[in-house]
Amino acid sequence: MGLRKRVTYYYDEDVGNYNYGYMHPMKPFRMRMAHSLVAAYGLDKKMSIVRPPRASKQQLTRFHSDDYMEFLSRVTPEVAELEPEHASVYLSGDDCPAFDGVFEFCTISAGGSIAGAKRINHGDADVVVNWAGGLHHAKKNAASGFCYVNDIVLAILELLRYHQRVVYLDIDVHHGDGVEEAFYTTDRVMSVSFHKFGDFFPGTGHVHDVGVGRGKGYAINVPLRDGIDDDSYQRIFQPVMAAVMERFRPGAIVMQCGTDSLSGDRIGCFNLSMQGHAACVEFMKSFGVPLFCLGGGGYTIRNVARTWAYETAVLVGEELDPVLPYNDYYDFYGPEFRLDVPASNMSNANTAEYLQKTAAIIADQLRDLPHAPSVQIHAAPADWDGAASDNEADDCHLDADPERKMSARQRDARVVPLAELYDSDAEAEADAVDSSDAALRAPR
């Protein structure tokens, strides 16, 4: 039996506070639901849970343009109405509304992805999870497809500072166009996207879209048809990814785990079960390469929460009871109250011949590439903004103030909402009153 993986899980409870709009299908609240299930199953005790630092505007401009970030940092619903000429350039209508707190939401998502990449770079984790990330459509100069900041590109740029090659894998029902476009001309990132192709957003990702210049051959697109089920998906997924890993030999894998490829999604048109979706995560974990799992699409929120909780268990190596434990959002999972997203009897338009033909095209593409393209040897550059790894930063803080028992980062990572320490709100309130009275009585 192999050693248990060191897993770091990024979560900021504020992420569930943001709202794209009442009728908008994207619901950040789903991250709070997923985390509640993770905690109810006790998975939080099997990994390091860290509140991510918020990304700064300077960090976001490592990929995004200055003018776009300047607008995004100040936009509100009122500003968008007053400046329609700017809103029409940087935002994409109803898909990407200027909701209250949009920039703060982006700093949480991107902050976790940048911090997670640093954690892998410094050898502090084998597996990192940030379900608030995975916003793969955002472009350098504009929002797109519910995505404002491309946290995935920012994470990969961070990983490339220490790793010669990075694989980006996308199992969202939509093509990972924003990430592919960012690395379309380089041979240091191999992007692999399994997606619905045809009359479907964003309309890109043809099997013959393979990259240009030095990046020619390093963009791999697997266009799929409606209704693909678990068996058909694995029939093409496993051979393609095994060949990618053998040919490219990456130092790290970034995996976008969008759940709109599940059966019954409000927007998606695939027919994967929860187990079929998670089988992809299990397969990539088996290579033993540092793995960074991110969220993404997913619009039937009870199924998003179920699947990401289940995939968190896969990553930490735990078996879960199929009967859901009681949690903060238990009523959402009725009437069955089980950890399951079953496939339906939807027709599968992906014939064996079609999948074989697509796999053969991709095999030929990979065969033409050199094994593990080399990169000129160079010393790893200093971290952005002088930031060290978590462990190094903790040591520096404790050296500067030996009386402290833990660093500010360690204290912040252990922050728990007061209510979670008590069996009832009444007990929490009573203790808070007692503490307040004691403070008033304390000698000055």
Side-chain angles (χ1 to χ4, degrees):
M1 177 181 288
L3 294 175
R4 182 181 290 272
K5 302 286 187 183
R6 297 170 300 155
V7 180
T8 297
Y9 173 101
Y10 282 93
Y11 177 69
D12 187 321
E13 62 186 7
D14 290 343
V15 74
N17 295 339
Y18 300 95
N19 191 338
Y20 278 59
Y22 179 70
M23 297 299 294
H24 200 289
M26 176 63 98
K27 307 292 184 186
F29 180 69
R30 65 205 177 125
M31 271 83 82
R32 186 173 286 170
M33 289 179 62
H35 182 71
S36 180
L37 266 185
V38 166
Y41 271 114
L43 297 175
D44 52 334
K45 299 175 178 62
K46 308 294 183 180
M47 55 190 177
S48 299
I49 299 209
V50 180
R51 183 192 301 174
R54 306 287 174 94
S56 67
K57 190 192 299 186
Q58 180 184 11
Q59 287 177 311
L60 301 182
T61 55
R62 294 177 196 166
F63 172 61
H64 294 287
S65 64
D66 292 344
D67 56 332
Y68 173 41
M69 287 299 99
E70 191 280 328
F71 175 78
L72 193 65
S73 66
R74 63 181 179 84
V75 74
T76 63
E78 295 75 22
V79 168
E81 285 187 10
L82 291 171
E83 301 180 20
E85 69 283 1
H86 289 141
S88 64
V89 170
Y90 298 120
L91 306 179
S92 54
D94 293 339
D95 278 359
C96 299
F99 62 86
D100 285 322
V102 59
F103 187 72
E104 290 75 19
F105 171 73
C106 294
T107 64
I108 293 173
S109 170
S113 295
I114 294 169
K118 287 182 179 180
R119 204 164 179 88
I120 288 173
N121 281 347
H122 291 284
D124 296 330
D126 305 305
V127 175
V128 176
V129 180
N130 178 28
W131 295 133
L135 303 178
H136 59 170
H137 295 306
K139 305 299 175 62
K140 181 181 180 69
N141 300 306
S144 176
F146 312 162
C147 306
Y148 300 83
V149 165
N150 202 315
D151 64 285
I152 307 171
V153 172
L154 292 166
I156 293 173
L157 289 173
E158 179 64 34
L159 289 169
L160 288 174
R161 299 173 59 254
Y162 280 70
H163 300 276
Q164 291 188 353
R165 294 173 299 279
V166 174
V167 157
Y168 170 63
L169 169 59
D170 194 314
I171 60 170
D172 194 282
V173 74
H174 300 95
H175 178 231
D177 59 331
V179 184
E180 180 186 274
E181 181 180 303
F183 300 108
Y184 209 55
T185 61
T186 180
D187 60 359
R188 294 188 62 195
V189 177
M190 180 169 281
S191 63
V192 189
S193 180
F194 294 79
H195 53 270
K196 158 73 174 174
F197 183 73
D199 185 16
F200 196 71
F201 182 87
T204 52
H206 191 280
V207 69
H208 292 301
D209 294 341
V210 298
V212 296
R214 290 182 63 89
K216 186 175 182 180
Y218 292 92
I220 294 176
N221 285 296
V222 187
L224 301 170
R225 299 171 177 170
D226 289 0
I228 192 164
D229 57 25
D230 293 353
D231 290 342
S232 297
Y233 202 93
Q234 292 305 317
R235 197 178 303 143
I236 192 165
F237 179 85
Q238 292 194 8
V240 166
M241 292 315 302
V244 164
M245 296 298 290
E246 191 278 329
R247 198 76 179 180
F248 193 62
R249 307 273 176 152
I253 303 164
V254 177
M255 184 172 184
Q256 199 265 22
C257 302
T259 52
D260 47 8
S261 45
L262 290 170
S263 179
D265 187 78
R266 287 177 61 191
I267 291 179
C269 53
F270 286 176
N271 194 25
L272 297 184
S273 70
M274 181 184 74
Q275 287 81 7
H277 195 275
C280 300
V281 175
E282 181 79 65
F283 186 71
M284 297 313 297
K285 177 188 171 188
S286 71
F287 289 99
V289 174
L291 176 62
F292 195 167
C293 285
L294 301 167
Y299 308 102
T300 302
I301 61 174
R302 63 186 181 275
N303 291 343
V304 175
R306 284 176 166 121
T307 301
W308 285 346
Y310 183 76
E311 289 175 348
T312 302
V314 167
L315 292 169
V316 299
E318 292 290 315
E319 296 270 344
L320 298 184
D321 190 329
V323 178
L324 289 175
Y326 187 78
N327 60 87
D328 292 339
Y329 308 103
Y330 190 72
D331 290 342
F332 280 76
Y333 303 103
E336 64 279 359
F337 302 105
R338 296 184 65 81
L339 184 67
D340 188 29
V341 181
S344 71
N345 61 354
M346 182 180 185
S347 296
N348 183 0
N350 298 269
T351 64
E353 292 76 17
Y354 174 73
L355 295 175
Q356 289 169 5
K357 180 180 178 181
T358 302
I361 292 171
I362 294 167
D364 288 342
Q365 177 182 337
L366 287 169
R367 197 175 297 116
D368 291 339
L369 298 178
H371 275 276
S374 61
V375 176
Q376 185 174 355
I377 296 175
H378 63 280
D383 280 339
W384 293 101
D385 306 322
S389 72
D390 288 342
N391 292 337
E392 291 169 338
D394 292 341
D395 290 344
C396 290
H397 285 128
L398 294 176
D399 288 344
D401 189 355
E403 297 300 315
R404 289 179 179 269
K405 300 299 183 184
M406 63 178 68
S407 70
R409 185 202 67 82
Q410 290 171 320
R411 285 198 307 277
D412 191 53
R414 293 179 59 177
V415 168
V416 178
L418 185 64
E420 293 185 15
L421 302 176
Y422 300 89
D423 292 331
S424 70
D425 291 342
E427 290 181 31
E429 291 171 3
D431 191 75
V433 170
D434 291 344
S435 298
S436 177
D437 289 346
L440 291 172
R441 291 194 301 269
R444 294 289 192 268

